[in-house]
């Protein structure tokens, strides 16, 4: 995230406290934001504001930046809770917050950051922005419920359409649709309805690329453990395609591992499954699917923004969206 | 909670869904609100609005009711997360949500209810209400951090002042101060500054009474397991007073149990400690302290509201606050 936006995020959070426990609380609130997320969503929001005509050093630009701070705070509280829900080991190259401080304190810090997110939204004072954040959280929580309930019930009888519905709820709204819409609202412009279909396509491409990187990525760049999704039993397009065509014997080995809790999974068998997935061609196929969805989304977005006043920012948005679907970290 | 308020709360939440998982999500969102909480805080808010001159069947009354719905939603999302943090078994006479559905899904439902709380606050449209909810969450989260970090670090070297600071942060704001203030704001009136000290005294009395009931209460009325605080290792005024005067041998038995996780605690020894606490007189002493704090708070509140237009509602508030500090469930 850009330094001035990070400063704005941190300016909302307590710094220190009257007793050691509250100083620790304040450090925990500041921890994830300071780990240097890429700020993909806040950049998209700011570029959308510029595309819709917001100029630097105006009140509308200041309002857009408070909304961007709100998006970053959203991302951070969700990640804290998500890491607990998945029992992830790492986040942005460091141990997940609950692994440093325990689950109860980490849940509480996520809740407090959630409230600080609303402080940023309120501070922005942009009509309609609160409704956007409400919709974003509701859709994301529904997607998260699908994902987590499949893990909870060891549910693997899923079609690709189930995965795509989950990803559209869980990722597309907060990663693409809502940032685009908030940028328009900061400019006082009614968001284009085409942002929704564009965002569903681009958000799917973005998440599938993330699933691919989890199997293929460079551990130094990626910031999470490679293969972690297999250990956490995550449903991905890759795995669902592979399951539909894998030899019965391999499928049985896979399902046997997935019936186990993370700690009871056998790392050697998980590594074998990882190789089967890579050898099956399903990773490449998912990558191709993501690229096609990205093109579809880019085309919709390009049309929707063709008449926007800030064409330099429009090009920046299209370039960034294209890069996301082909990124390697 | 009164039936019309429950209907208002439920009207904000999804009912059903397009697939079985989302129907389950919607049931989970509705579960705690439908378990019949007492609605103490929403009643206080509505009585405060009436005390400040809001009449039934006015727009201001409708706004006050949306704020009351917001307070109930706050209470419910906090309880879901609190039950996970404490690994509580029961809530309102039924298994805690995470014991029915697992921790990951329950965290997510708490997060979604948190957002629905903001939908209620937004719907109310009362100037200043959003700031009140932000302050309430920040203070409650700070108090929660103190409480949970003492459990996490097995910290028992605490003074009574530490406990009281924690309780004032964790309970007084959301139980008394903010409901009183929101009622005034719904009437378009600046809240009296004396509500703060009145609420700190009454909130402490309320929580200490809760701690007493956890040791003394009637299981059929109380809705949580009697003695659960000891199993969860909660700090209370009762235990801190007892520790300061208990025979070294008893203290050692206590601290040995408190160093253990809940599952490793010996129920027979916990029952023995429970009897020591009752026999020590510390439960009665805490009850007397709570009664004195309640009188202090009632006196401050009575003065602050002496000139308010709705004196019938003022008497209702004072009666309800007195009842809370002496309640048996």
């Amino acid at each position: 995230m850009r330094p001035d936006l990070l400063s704005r995020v941190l300016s909302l959070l307590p710094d220190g406290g009257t007793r050691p426990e509250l100083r620790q609380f304040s450090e925990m609130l500041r921890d994830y934001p300071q780990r240097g997320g890429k700020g993909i969503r806040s950049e998209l929001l700011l570029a959308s504001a510029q595309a819709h005509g917001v100029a630097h050093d105006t009140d509308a630009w200041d309002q857009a930046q408070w909304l961007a701070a709100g998006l970053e705070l959203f991302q951070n509280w969700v990640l804290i809770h998500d890491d607990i829900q998945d029992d992830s080991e790492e986040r942005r190259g460091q141990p997940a917050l609950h692994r440093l401080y325990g689950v109860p304190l980490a849940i509480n810090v996520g809740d407090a950051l959630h409230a600080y997110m609303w402080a940023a939204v309120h501070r922005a004072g942009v009509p309609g922005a609160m409704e956007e954040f409400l919709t974003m959280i509701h859709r994301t929580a529904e997607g998260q419920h699908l994902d987590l309930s499949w893990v909870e019930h060891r549910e693997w009888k899923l079609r690709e359409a189930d995965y795509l519905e989950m990803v559209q709820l869980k990722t597309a709204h907060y990663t693409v649709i809502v940032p685009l819409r908030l940028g328009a609202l900061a400019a006082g412009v009614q968001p284009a309805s085409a942002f929704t279909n564009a965002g569903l396509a681009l958000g799917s491409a973005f998440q599938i690329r993330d699933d691919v990187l989890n199997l293929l990525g460079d551990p130094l760049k990626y910031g999470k453990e490679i293969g972690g999704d297999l250990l956490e039993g995550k449903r991905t397009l890759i795995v669902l395609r592979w399951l539909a065509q894998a030899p019965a014997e391999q499928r049985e080995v896979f399902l046997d591992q997935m019936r186990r809790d993370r700690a009871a999974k056998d790392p050697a068998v998980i590594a074998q499954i990882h190789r089967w997935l890579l050898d099956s061609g399903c990773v490449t196929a998912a990558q191709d699917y993501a690229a096609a969805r990205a093109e579809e989304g880019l085309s919709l977005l390009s049309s929707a923004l063709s008449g926007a006043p800030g064409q330099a920012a429009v090009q920046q948005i299209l370039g960034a969206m294209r890069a996301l679907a082909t990124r390697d970290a």
Side-chain angles (χ1 to χ4, degrees), chain A:
Chain A
M1 154 175 33
R2 48 174 86 180
D4 56 334
L5 187 58
L6 177 59
S7 302
R8 200 177 280 253
V9 166
L10 296 178
S11 76
L12 290 168
L13 306 179
D15 188 7
T18 51
R19 36 189 309 154
E21 301 95 326
L22 294 179
R23 286 194 283 281
Q24 182 197 52
F25 180 61
S26 143
E27 278 165 27
M28 289 177 71
L29 286 167
R30 291 160 172 268
D31 185 337
Y32 271 29
Q34 289 183 310
R35 289 190 186 187
K38 292 186 283 289
I40 291 165
R41 296 154 186 95
S42 52
E43 289 296 332
L44 178 56
L45 185 157
L46 292 171
S48 172
Q50 291 179 294
H52 288 89
V54 173
H56 277 275
D57 299 324
T58 58
D59 284 350
W61 181 243
D62 189 57
Q63 292 179 304
Q65 290 199 298
W66 282 119
L67 293 179
L71 268 191
E72 288 296 326
L73 284 161
F74 173 79
Q75 167 81 350
N76 281 285
W77 75 254
V78 166
L79 289 178
I80 291 172
H81 284 184
D82 200 55
D83 287 344
I84 296 169
Q85 290 161 331
D86 298 341
D87 197 16
S88 299
E89 293 192 357
E90 294 184 13
R91 175 62 61 185
R92 295 172 183 157
Q94 295 176 48
L97 199 68
H98 70 285
R99 293 192 175 249
L100 294 173
Y101 300 95
V103 167
L105 290 173
I107 291 176
N108 187 52
V109 165
D111 290 337
L113 271 186
H114 183 165
Y116 283 108
M117 176 202 82
W118 288 108
V121 177
H122 187 51
R123 184 82 166 258
V126 171
M130 188 142 182
E131 287 81 354
E132 293 298 321
F133 273 82
L134 287 171
T135 302
M136 173 174 76
I137 299 172
H138 297 331
R139 293 297 87 73
T140 307
E142 286 162 5
Q144 185 74 340
H145 185 86
L146 290 184
D147 199 11
L148 294 172
S149 69
W150 295 338
V151 173
E152 178 76 18
H153 300 112
R154 311 280 200 268
E155 180 61 76
W156 285 97
K157 285 184 185 148
L158 295 166
R159 295 158 305 136
E160 291 186 13
D162 296 314
Y163 170 84
L164 292 170
E165 183 175 350
M166 181 272 284
V167 162
Q168 289 185 357
L169 287 167
K170 183 175 158 168
T171 306
H173 288 272
Y174 95 93
T175 304
V176 189
I177 300 171
V178 171
L180 286 169
R181 290 177 61 86
L182 287 170
L185 292 172
V189 172
Q190 177 66 25
S193 59
F195 288 167
T196 301
N197 282 335
L200 291 175
L202 288 164
S204 304
F206 175 82
Q207 182 60 51
I208 293 166
R209 181 67 192 159
D210 200 62
D211 298 341
V212 167
L213 286 174
N214 195 280
L215 294 170
L216 276 185
D218 176 341
L220 290 177
K221 290 186 189 169
Y222 182 59
K224 288 189 278 189
E225 38 177 351
I226 298 302
D229 285 353
L230 286 175
L231 285 167
E232 292 168 11
K234 305 300 278 186
R235 280 73 189 149
T236 63
L237 193 67
I238 302 157
V239 166
L240 294 179
R241 286 200 173 182
W242 174 77
L243 273 176
Q245 58 149 68
E249 187 186 293
Q250 290 185 9
R251 198 162 57 227
E252 201 32 65
V253 169
F254 174 86
L255 292 173
D256 171 60
Q257 289 294 315
M258 293 303 136
R259 276 188 285 268
R260 307 176 184 200
D261 288 334
R262 184 189 171 114
K265 290 192 173 83
D266 182 335
V269 179
I270 292 292
Q272 175 62 61
I273 293 167
H274 196 157
R275 283 189 298 273
W276 287 338
L277 287 168
L278 296 178
D279 293 346
S280 71
C282 292
V283 180
T284 316
Q287 181 56 47
D288 293 345
Y289 177 82
R293 292 286 280 163
E295 287 308 321
E296 178 194 344
L298 286 166
S299 166
L300 287 167
L301 194 53
S302 175
S303 303
L305 291 170
S306 62
Q311 281 301 312
V314 170
Q315 291 312 310
Q316 186 193 330
I317 291 171
L318 297 173
M321 290 288 104
R322 184 179 298 281
L324 278 180
T326 54
R327 74 196 194 283
D328 64 359

